[in-house]
Amino acid sequence: MKYIRISLFFFLLPVFLYSQQVDIATSADRKEIKIGEEIRYKITVQTEANAQVFFPTPEQFVPFEVIRENKIDTLREHDKVRFIKEYGLTQFDTGHYVLRPLRIDVNNREYKTDSLLLAVRNVVIDTLKQPLYPVKSAIEIEKVKDKSSSWLLWIGILLFLGIVAGGYWFFFKRKRQKIENPEAILPPFDRALLKLKNLQNSRYLIESNHKEYYSVLTDIIRKYLEEEIHISATESTTDELLAKLQVFLDAGKLHLSPEVLEELKTVLHKADLVKFAKSKPEDFEAENDRKSIETIVVKTNEGLPDIVETEEENEQDTYQRKRMEVLQKKKRNRYIAIIAAAGLLLSLMVWGTWYAFTMGQREYINMENWITSAYGYPPVTLSTPHVLKREKNSTDQVRFLYKQAKDPLSIMLISTNLKEYIGDAAANAEETQGENALNELVLKMIEMELMRYFQGENIMIKDDPYTTVQGIAGHKVFGSFTQRAKEPEPMRYQSFFFIQGENLHMLLFAYPEKERAMSASLVEKIMTTIHM
């Protein structure tokens, strides 16, 4: 049995030796500091060279604030490595604090450091060597211009100028181009002759494109007859057009010889054969047909009667005039639709730009131009978008306030002594109910402030424990209320109060329900800057 125990001892000896290969040591350069001074806290881990070491995160150092965290320094000693990491710690409240054991992971195994007792002392002011000066009056600080709004303005101006330039080109330049077209300003007779001249100089016959040649030729005579005699020629077949001309001839509204009408019939039928039956006349025949159409145009112009229009002609002119009015109305409606679409597009672009800028600002709050100041005594240091102004009060309660109609977020800070504020009632509450009684008194005080400064009614109150990022314990009171006005407005509020000995510090934020998202983000940012 004795030999078995000896064998087990030598068998388990390497395990015990391996478990002792991790050596952890901690040190601090001082055990006592003044408010805001830095403690240099060092952690040393000695272990195997290939070990994986994970040092504590800043969240484990509560109630101390980590203001500096150096990179890990390594020092090799034979087959072992010493890992060294240094932290900078501080605290802004006086008292004695215990830094609890910190967790260190080595090769997925947990180790703990030793606890450490540290003292934070107040700064003693020697009023003989450094006399106190009176409090200076508040200074109005010029509001920083919002660069995003100026960019939005310039983008809107550029878009507006682009729409104006496009409209000018569309309505004036294009119209001017139409007027400068010589064919557009000529009467039907002159315009038909000009087109026939241009057809003579074209390359259709040179390129053996007889189909296009005859299409242009018949289109010229059809449009001329439609504009000059007021008959629907472009939409009629050859036989229908000849029948309509015969009606005009029989009624005496047009004077043409049968030879001219027969010549027109011959050219139109030949054009139909070229366009639809793939007939291909000789080039000289095509030129003769062009000359025939030119003669028909001249004869038609000469055959128009110079007498006063009959009643039937008046009806035809009225029809044509109404038809032109309908076409102009359609064109005007089309322009209106284009302008409306352009305006809608411009509005969407401006809204999209505004949305991009404002939503980007909601996601990221720039604290560069915020004001950091100390309020009350003992002082409460706070960073806010606007400075809080001290309010004169007959009581010993100190109140700082920012409340502007143009700004949705209102901020109030109250600093007071509990005994002076509640008198004998507070002393009795401390004896009987202790901390709960004090909390109830503060809740009543918050309710009174909402009623007094914000005309609040229907106040809903919720109370939760709260701890700042610096480790200061307190309470958070939040809820909703209705602001009395001509039109009642739903409001939201958040209040944070901290009782330290006999002193009470309370922050109160109020904002409209419609500005809830942005204002809540501002409150969260402000509370990360509080120091007591």
Side-chain angles (χ1 to χ4, degrees):
M1 189 69 178
K2 179 178 180 181
Y3 294 105
I4 295 175
R5 291 178 180 177
I6 295 173
S7 300
L8 287 173
F9 173 77
F10 284 105
F11 178 75
L12 296 175
L13 180 60
V15 178
F16 294 136
L17 292 176
Y18 180 78
S19 64
Q20 295 175 358
Q21 289 178 351
V22 178
D23 186 14
I24 297 176
T26 59
S27 63
D29 65 336
R30 62 183 78 181
K31 298 293 183 67
E32 182 177 322
I33 63 170
K34 295 180 181 179
I35 292 178
E37 287 186 336
E38 181 184 356
I39 302 171
R40 299 175 61 184
Y41 184 76
K42 185 186 297 183
I43 301 176
T44 304
V45 179
Q46 184 174 349
T47 181
E48 298 296 331
N50 58 352
Q52 292 184 348
V53 181
F54 296 93
F55 283 87
T57 58
E59 291 79 10
Q60 299 185 41
F61 288 87
V62 176
F64 291 92
E65 179 180 350
V66 178
I67 59 176
R68 179 175 54 84
E69 183 177 355
N70 293 349
K71 294 183 178 180
I72 300 174
D73 189 14
T74 58
L75 180 63
R76 294 188 176 274
E77 298 177 351
H78 303 294
D79 58 340
K80 294 186 178 181
V81 176
R82 182 177 298 175
F83 299 91
I84 304 171
K85 186 165 185 176
E86 185 175 286
Y87 298 85
L89 310 179
T90 191
Q91 175 58 255
F92 295 93
D93 289 327
T94 59
H96 291 82
Y97 296 91
V98 176
L99 182 61
R100 297 182 178 87
L102 304 174
R103 175 180 173 177
I104 301 175
D105 291 335
V106 181
N107 290 331
N108 297 325
R109 187 173 180 182
E110 181 179 337
Y111 294 87
K112 292 285 187 178
T113 64
D114 295 331
S115 59
L116 183 64
L117 178 63
L118 298 170
V120 182
R121 305 297 182 188
N122 203 352
V123 179
V124 180
I125 301 176
D126 190 349
T127 57
L128 297 178
K129 296 181 180 180
Q130 184 179 355
L132 297 176
Y133 296 95
V135 178
K136 294 183 179 180
S137 59
I139 300 176
E140 293 291 339
I141 299 176
E142 184 179 356
K143 186 176 181 181
V144 180
K145 294 183 178 180
D146 189 359
K147 296 182 180 180
S148 63
S149 60
S150 61
W151 274 105
L152 183 63
L153 176 63
W154 280 110
I155 291 175
I157 292 174
L158 292 176
L159 290 175
F160 176 75
L161 292 177
I163 294 295
V164 171
Y168 172 78
W169 178 87
F170 188 82
F171 289 105
F172 295 97
K173 281 287 196 179
R174 192 175 177 185
K175 185 176 180 180
R176 186 177 178 183
Q177 289 176 358
K178 288 182 178 180
I179 295 176
E180 290 177 352
N181 186 1
E183 295 183 2
I185 59 177
L186 292 175
F189 175 71
D190 296 330
R191 185 163 58 250
L193 294 180
L194 179 62
K195 287 182 178 181
L196 289 170
K197 186 68 175 177
N198 293 335
L199 181 62
Q200 182 183 7
N201 299 326
S202 67
R203 297 182 59 85
Y204 293 130
L205 297 180
I206 298 175
E207 297 173 355
S208 297
N209 193 354
H210 292 77
K211 181 178 179 180
E212 189 66 26
Y213 180 89
Y214 276 93
S215 294
V216 175
L217 181 63
T218 55
D219 186 63
I220 292 173
I221 187 61
R222 285 175 179 272
K223 285 186 177 180
Y224 170 72
L225 294 174
E226 187 170 280
E227 293 175 356
E228 196 72 271
I229 307 178
H230 307 297
I231 60 175
S232 57
T234 56
E235 299 176 358
S236 302
T237 63
T238 299
D239 294 335
E240 290 174 348
L241 176 59
L242 294 173
K244 292 177 182 178
L245 288 175
Q246 189 63 48
V247 171
F248 271 73
L249 291 172
D250 296 339
K253 298 178 182 179
L254 180 63
H255 303 288
L256 287 177
S257 63
E259 293 79 8
V260 174
L261 189 61
E262 184 65 27
E263 189 175 2
L264 174 62
K265 178 180 179 180
T266 302
V267 175
L268 291 178
H269 280 301
K270 184 184 292 186
D272 290 339
L273 292 175
V274 173
K275 290 189 290 184
F276 304 111
K278 296 183 180 181
S279 176
K280 190 175 182 181
E282 297 294 335
D283 292 347
F284 72 89
E285 294 183 30
E287 175 61 21
N288 291 334
D289 290 337
R290 187 197 66 81
K291 292 179 180 180
S292 298
I293 293 298
E294 187 174 354
T295 302
I296 293 169
V297 170
V298 174
K299 293 295 183 180
T300 303
N301 183 63
E302 295 175 353
L304 291 174
D306 297 331
I307 58 175
V308 181
E309 295 180 342
T310 62
E311 182 178 354
E312 188 175 344
E313 289 176 335
N314 289 332
E315 292 178 357
Q316 185 70 20
D317 289 342
T318 302
Y319 166 76
Q320 292 294 334
R321 186 166 54 252
K322 289 183 178 180
R323 182 170 177 268
M324 293 301 297
E325 289 177 356
V326 171
L327 293 176
Q328 291 178 357
K329 186 176 181 181
K330 289 182 178 180
K331 183 183 290 186
R332 183 170 61 252
N333 293 339
R334 185 166 63 251
Y335 289 160
I336 293 174
I338 293 173
I339 294 174
L344 179 61
L345 179 61
L346 175 62
S347 302
L348 290 175
M349 294 175 68
V350 172
W351 178 84
T353 307
W354 170 85
Y355 181 83
F357 276 107
T358 54
M359 290 308 293
Q361 290 175 350
R362 286 177 184 269
E363 294 174 359
Y364 173 74
I365 299 174
N366 185 10
M367 301 173 63
E368 180 180 355
N369 299 314
W370 283 21
I371 300 163
T372 303
S373 184
Y375 303 95
Y377 185 82
V380 177
T381 304
L382 198 66
S383 296
T384 53
H386 308 278
V387 67
L388 308 183
K389 294 184 178 180
R390 184 187 181 108
E391 184 187 59
K392 295 182 180 180
N393 200 329
S394 59
T395 66
D396 293 332
Q397 187 181 92
V398 181
R399 180 185 283 102
F400 299 88
L401 181 65
Y402 173 80
K403 187 173 183 291
Q404 298 289 337
K406 61 181 180 180
D407 201 328
L409 180 64
S410 300
I411 309 172
M412 178 187 294
L413 188 148
I414 295 177
S415 182
T416 187
N417 186 280
L418 285 176
K419 286 188 177 180
E420 295 179 0
Y421 185 79
I422 62 176
D424 296 336
N428 295 333
E430 290 177 353
E431 293 176 1
T432 56
Q433 299 179 12
E435 183 180 354
N436 291 335
L438 290 178
N439 293 341
E440 289 295 330
L441 290 171
V442 176
L443 293 179
K444 290 291 185 183
M445 186 171 116
I446 294 172
E447 186 176 2
M448 293 298 295
E449 298 296 335
L450 291 173
M451 295 172 61
R452 177 182 176 185
Y453 282 90
F454 301 98
Q455 293 79 46
E457 59 184 10
N458 302 325
I459 300 173
M460 304 295 294
I461 296 179
K462 298 180 182 179
D463 180 16
D464 286 333
Y466 179 79
T467 303
T468 66
V469 294
Q470 291 80 18
I472 306 172
H475 284 265
K476 176 182 179 180
V477 182
F478 58 97
S480 61
F481 67 94
T482 303
Q483 189 175 43
R484 294 191 304 271
K486 293 181 179 179
E487 294 183 0
E489 183 176 11
M491 302 284 289
R492 286 276 174 175
Y493 74 92
Q494 294 186 52
S495 181
F496 304 86
F497 68 89
F498 308 90
I499 300 174
Q500 297 180 330
E502 298 179 353
N503 297 314
L504 168 68
H505 301 292
M506 186 191 76
L507 272 165
L508 179 60
F509 304 91
Y511 44 86
E513 175 70 33
K514 60 185 179 182
E515 297 289 342
R516 180 177 180 179
M518 185 63 179
S519 299
S521 299
L522 284 172
V523 171
E524 183 179 352
K525 289 291 184 181
I526 293 172
M527 291 307 299
T528 60
T529 66
I530 188 170
H531 294 282
M532 298 181 187

